[in-house]
Amino acid sequence: MILALLFLIAGSTVEIDSTAPHPIEIEVASDNQQQCIFRIEGRTLSQSALRKILKAERDKQREIHISSASNAPWRCIAGAVYDAQKSGFETVGFVTTPVSE
């Protein structure tokens, strides 16, 4: 399976298909002990709960959009990408904020 990476930059013009289901937006962070924290629609989830949600949503042709806190270890972000791919999602986007010059 090919994992397509879609990079979205906040403030850019992005063409949106209004007939497509809204994406699943995953926020990735970590706590003081560097444990991964995942949030979907304001709900804090463990990695196993995240996997269950992704598996339940995989047949709905939705995209995944991942944003992360500045303190999120790369292993947490990569874990969310891996779980999305393993669950059958073909498009994973990274939502970022542009660095001001």
Side-chain angles (χ1 to χ4, degrees):
M1 174 183 298
I2 296 173
L3 175 65
L5 296 178
L6 170 66
F7 291 89
L8 302 175
I9 300 176
S12 296
T13 303
V14 177
E15 198 170 314
I16 298 173
D17 179 359
S18 61
T19 62
H22 69 280
I24 297 172
E25 299 193 16
I26 302 171
E27 298 173 44
V28 182
S30 68
D31 61 16
N32 293 338
Q33 291 80 36
Q34 295 295 304
Q35 297 297 313
C36 300
I37 298 172
F38 304 96
R39 289 187 191 91
I40 295 178
E41 297 179 2
R43 292 179 29 218
T44 301
L45 307 166
S46 65
Q47 192 153 15
S48 62
L50 174 66
R51 287 181 188 134
K52 287 179 185 175
I53 288 173
L54 293 176
K55 285 180 182 178
E57 294 292 324
R58 70 177 161 211
D59 295 329
K60 297 181 181 175
Q61 301 298 314
R62 296 173 73 180
E63 293 182 355
I64 301 290
H65 290 179
I66 297 175
S67 61
S68 67
S70 60
N71 70 337
W74 178 245
R75 65 181 169 73
C76 297
I77 299 165
V81 172
Y82 176 80
D83 288 340
Q85 181 183 24
K86 190 79 172 162
S87 296
F89 289 88
E90 295 180 5
T91 303
V92 176
F94 292 92
V95 180
T96 63
T97 304
V99 176
S100 57
E101 295 180 23

